[in-house]
């Protein structure tokens, strides 16, 4: 709902987090010494870290450490600690068949603080920023073979089309924009008027009815 590009990281992916700017540990209370070392290396290599709750207070055997294993990093400029996520709805009772019905899918009371923490950990910039209401979602993807960065936009309140949506997208390192267009099943394709400042492309999406696909076609800078 805040249109922050993200992916879900599993245990084995901690070995190589180089594709990510920020790692969010959402009350990951049990982490092994090896996993803690991998996370520390990510931060040492320039990655951002957001930690909540009792993260790393337990080992992978769920024995209690004397203090959270990552706590000494909290003063780092791109490591942010939030004591708690303030749930807006109570969690369902714990049981073997665990289900969270959509009536409980509510943003936490301190959602703004969490997003601000992620942005600070990212060095103040996201890969994509879309100024739109909460019912518009965004997904960023790449096609390495064609050098195209794709921004998917979906308006879940499709009865109310949106117009002139401000967007900023950062290009991959070493890429130069060749063309920017928006494709949609709701109307004709349109070439976008863009402003390029450093690695950031700024433009406005003329209209979003239900679904738009923004294609940023790039080429690699020639070697000197």
């Amino acid at each position: 709902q805040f249109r922050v590009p993200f992916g879900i990281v599993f245990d084995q992916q901690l070995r190589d987090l180089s594709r990510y700017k920020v790692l969010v540990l959402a009350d990951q209370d049990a982490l092994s010494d090896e996993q803690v070392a991998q996370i520390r290396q990510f931060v040492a290599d320039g990655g951002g870290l957001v930690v909540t709750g009792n993260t790393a207070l337990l080992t992978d055997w769920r024995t209690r450490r004397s203090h959270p294993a990552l706590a000494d990093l909290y003063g780092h400029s791109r490591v942010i600690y939030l004591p708690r996520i303030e749930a807006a709805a109570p969690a369902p009772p714990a049981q073997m068949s665990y289900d969270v019905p959509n009536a409980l899918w509510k943003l936490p009371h301190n959602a703004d603080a969490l997003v601000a923490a992620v942005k600070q950990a990212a060095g103040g910039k996201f890969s994509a920023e879309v100024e739109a209401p909460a019912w518009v979602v965004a997904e960023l993807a790449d096609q390495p073979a064609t050098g195209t960065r794709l921004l998917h936009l979906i308006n879940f309140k499709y009865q109310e089309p949106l117009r002139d949506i401000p967007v900023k997208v950062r290009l991959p390192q070493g890429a130069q924009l060749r063309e920017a267009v928006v494709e949609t099943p709701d109307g004709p394709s349109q070439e976008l008027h863009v402003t390029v400042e450093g690695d950031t492309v700024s433009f406005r999406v003329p209209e979003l009815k239900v679904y738009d696909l923004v294609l940023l076609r790039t080429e690699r800078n020639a070697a000197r």
Side-chain angles (χ1 to χ4, degrees):
Q1 286 173 278
F2 285 90
R3 292 163 296 281
V4 179
F6 76 97
I8 297 175
V9 172
F10 295 93
D11 291 358
Q12 61 271 23
Q13 292 170 288
L14 288 175
R15 300 186 186 97
D16 182 13
L17 295 168
S18 58
R19 63 174 293 196
Y20 299 103
K21 293 185 181 70
V22 177
L23 178 66
V24 178
L25 298 174
D27 209 1
Q28 302 293 318
D29 58 350
L31 292 173
S32 69
D33 290 343
E34 180 184 9
Q35 290 171 325
V36 168
Q38 290 166 337
I39 294 165
R40 285 180 172 276
Q41 187 61 52
F42 172 68
V43 174
D45 291 340
L49 182 66
V50 176
V51 176
T52 76
N54 291 321
T55 291
L57 182 60
L58 308 178
T59 70
D60 49 331
W61 288 94
R62 299 197 67 77
T63 58
R64 188 182 181 93
R65 294 184 169 103
S66 59
H67 59 275
L70 297 168
D72 61 301
L73 297 178
Y74 295 170
H76 190 285
S77 62
R78 290 182 57 185
V79 178
I80 295 88
Y81 174 69
L82 295 178
R84 66 187 62 82
I85 299 299
E86 301 170 6
Q95 52 191 346
M96 290 300 294
S97 180
Y98 197 78
D99 184 42
V100 181
N102 59 11
L104 301 182
W105 296 356
K106 298 180 182 297
L107 288 172
H109 292 305
N110 60 339
D112 288 337
L114 178 58
V115 174
V118 173
K119 190 165 188 176
Q120 180 181 340
K125 292 183 178 180
F126 289 139
S127 298
E129 298 183 50
V130 180
E131 295 183 28
W135 55 84
V136 172
V137 299
E139 173 70 16
L140 192 67
D142 284 317
Q143 288 181 340
T146 64
T148 304
R149 178 152 281 191
L150 307 99
L151 179 67
H152 302 265
L153 298 173
I154 301 176
N155 178 15
F156 278 94
K157 194 179 284 190
Y158 56 85
Q159 305 93 334
E160 300 179 16
L162 299 168
R163 292 176 177 82
D164 207 27
I165 302 170
V167 176
K168 292 183 179 180
V169 177
R170 299 180 72 187
L171 298 178
Q173 186 174 7
Q176 183 174 350
L177 185 67
R178 177 168 53 86
E179 183 184 36
V181 298
V182 58
E183 304 273 2
T184 175
D186 305 315
S189 303
Q190 295 185 58
E191 186 170 354
L192 296 171
H193 300 287
V194 304
T195 301
V196 180
E197 184 175 348
D199 63 353
T200 302
V201 178
S202 301
F203 55 90
R204 290 178 179 267
V205 175
E207 184 176 47
L208 174 61
K209 293 180 180 177
V210 181
Y211 171 71
D212 282 354
L213 172 60
V214 177
L215 299 103
L216 301 174
R217 298 188 174 102
T218 69
E219 55 191 9
R220 306 302 295 182
N221 291 331
R224 295 185 178 181

